Amino acid sequence: MSSQFNYCQSALNVINTEAAAISQLSQYIDATFTATCELLIACKGKVIVTGMGKSGHIANKIAATLASTGTPAFFVHPAEASHGDLGMIERGDVVIALSNSGESDEILALYPMLKRLSIPIIAMTGNADSTMAREAKISLCIKVDKEACPLGLAPTSSTTASLVMGDAIAVALLEAKGFTANDFALSHPGGRLGRKLLLRISDIMHKGDGVPSVQQSETISEALFEVSKKGLGMTAVNNGKRLVGIFTDGDLRRILDARIDIHQTPISEVMTRRCVTINEHILAAEALAVMENKKVNAIIVVNEQQEPVGAFNMHDLLRAGVL
């Protein structure tokens, strides 16, 4: 192989070819696409997605995307279905079958049994005149002009088009159902996404004795001892139980420049009075947005009476996986 081969140009040819294939999909977003979505949204059972070879890999991903966006779905391998896995498919289900040629023997072998069970089939093919397309309840075209493979053999543009059409269906169903971020998080509880969407400040904030707090009459040195002891880089300043301000590392730097006597000066004279606060019920992700917007590294959590009930800083969000 020549060392002068232009790998970048080859890659750009692939990207441009597949981009063109995706742009051509818009011509297939019509009444047939609407009928597809309406059939799926009316499904009382599960959506089964199937396909052989590379189409099978795409079908598996489409099933996963549907399942995570509010449409119960799973992938069934058509060859395995003929050897027992067909039992996973029941009346009330809907089958989405992927094949670029529309002539997959393994999928066509399932058609008689699926029709016997009155299970509607949505065929996603690149050939509207294929057997799969003709025998399906709905034929959704995903035809592309050419594959990105220069030999025209390896499924490239066609599989990309299938994937994008699957995403288009999943997102259309998501929006039609009013699927929310909280709904999405319920199917992703164990990952970073779930933590971002479900975790509330009450779950991560420091509480009770862990909340740095001094009275407004105490001296700066006493406040500094509390800041150091609690390790959050700040302390709440209270008048009785009510929050009246906050003293942070940033405030300390300012008073050092002013040469203030930290052993005699009350903290009320140098604290930040109009400090950022939140309630414990907001999502941690929302709290992060507040911190970034207000450019603060720590926040006091207050109740309706403006009494400190918690505190947290950016490190707490980092440990919780929100950042």
Side-chain angles (χ1 to χ4, degrees):
M1 181 180 293
S2 172
S3 60
Q4 299 302 312
F5 182 77
N6 194 331
Y7 295 101
C8 291
Q9 186 57 55
S10 177
L12 288 172
N13 290 340
V14 172
I15 292 171
N16 291 333
T17 301
E18 296 202 7
I22 292 172
S23 67
Q24 291 169 7
L25 285 180
S26 59
Q27 65 184 304
Y28 307 130
I29 305 302
D30 51 18
T32 301
F33 181 84
T34 299
T36 297
C37 293
E38 289 179 344
L39 178 60
L40 293 172
I41 208 166
C43 176
K44 302 300 182 184
K46 307 170 295 298
V47 176
I48 289 84
V49 193
T50 188
M52 278 296 296
K54 304 300 186 293
S55 291
H57 294 302
I58 299 300
N60 205 338
K61 193 277 178 182
I62 291 174
T65 300
L66 287 169
S68 68
T69 53
T71 300
F74 61 86
F75 170 76
V76 171
H77 194 290
E80 297 294 337
S82 295
H83 294 276
D85 283 1
L86 195 60
M88 290 189 267
I89 307 174
E90 305 173 302
R91 293 181 187 273
D93 294 341
V94 174
V95 168
I96 300 177
L98 276 68
S99 170
N100 188 43
S101 69
E103 299 294 345
S104 170
D105 291 335
E106 293 85 353
I107 294 177
L108 287 171
L110 304 179
Y111 267 46
M113 185 57 69
L114 294 176
K115 292 192 173 187
R116 181 177 177 182
L117 293 173
S118 299
I119 294 173
I121 302 168
I122 300 168
M124 286 177 56
T125 79
N127 183 1
D129 295 324
S130 65
T131 308
M132 278 178 57
R134 291 196 308 270
E135 298 297 325
K137 181 178 181 66
I138 297 176
S139 173
L140 191 57
C141 189
I142 48 171
K143 183 179 180 180
V144 298
D145 286 344
K146 63 177 181 178
E147 300 287 5
C149 168
L151 302 176
L153 299 175
T156 45
S157 299
S158 58
T159 49
T160 300
S162 299
L163 181 62
V164 172
M165 184 63 81
D167 286 343
I169 292 171
V171 173
L173 296 177
L174 176 153
E175 293 183 338
K177 293 178 178 180
F179 195 75
T180 66
N182 281 338
D183 296 324
F184 194 89
L186 290 174
S187 60
H188 300 75
R192 185 183 181 93
L193 183 60
R195 289 193 294 274
K196 281 188 174 182
L197 294 174
L198 292 178
L199 199 66
R200 297 189 182 276
I201 283 302
S202 58
D203 298 320
I204 65 170
M205 70 183 189
H206 299 262
K207 306 173 185 178
D209 291 338
V211 180
S213 178
V214 297
Q215 290 297 310
Q216 62 178 353
S217 59
E218 295 183 60
T219 64
I220 296 173
S221 61
E222 290 172 317
L224 288 174
F225 178 78
E226 182 72 358
V227 172
S228 177
K229 179 181 178 182
K230 301 299 171 64
L232 294 181
M234 57 84 173
T235 182
V237 181
N238 299 331
N239 179 8
K241 293 183 178 181
R242 186 181 178 84
L243 180 73
V244 293
I246 189 173
F247 183 75
T248 69
D249 290 340
D251 294 318
L252 173 61
R253 288 190 292 273
R254 284 188 288 274
I255 66 169
L256 290 177
D257 290 338
R259 299 182 181 277
I260 293 174
D261 185 346
I262 65 171
H263 299 290
Q264 298 296 325
T265 307
I267 194 66
S268 59
E269 292 188 14
V270 295
M271 69 183 183
T272 299
R273 293 185 178 276
R274 295 182 179 179
C275 57
V276 178
T277 62
I278 60 172
N279 71 69
E280 63 183 309
H281 304 298
I282 76 168
L283 295 172
E286 293 179 282
L288 175 59
V290 171
M291 296 176 82
E292 292 175 336
N293 184 50
K294 299 294 184 179
K295 295 181 172 56
V296 297
N297 292 317
I299 294 182
I300 301 294
V301 183
V302 297
N303 59 19
E304 293 180 357
Q305 290 74 42
Q306 291 300 298
E307 298 169 343
V309 294
F312 69 97
N313 63 13
M314 198 68 79
H315 295 294
D316 295 313
L317 295 178
L318 181 62
R319 281 191 292 269
V322 179
L323 277 171

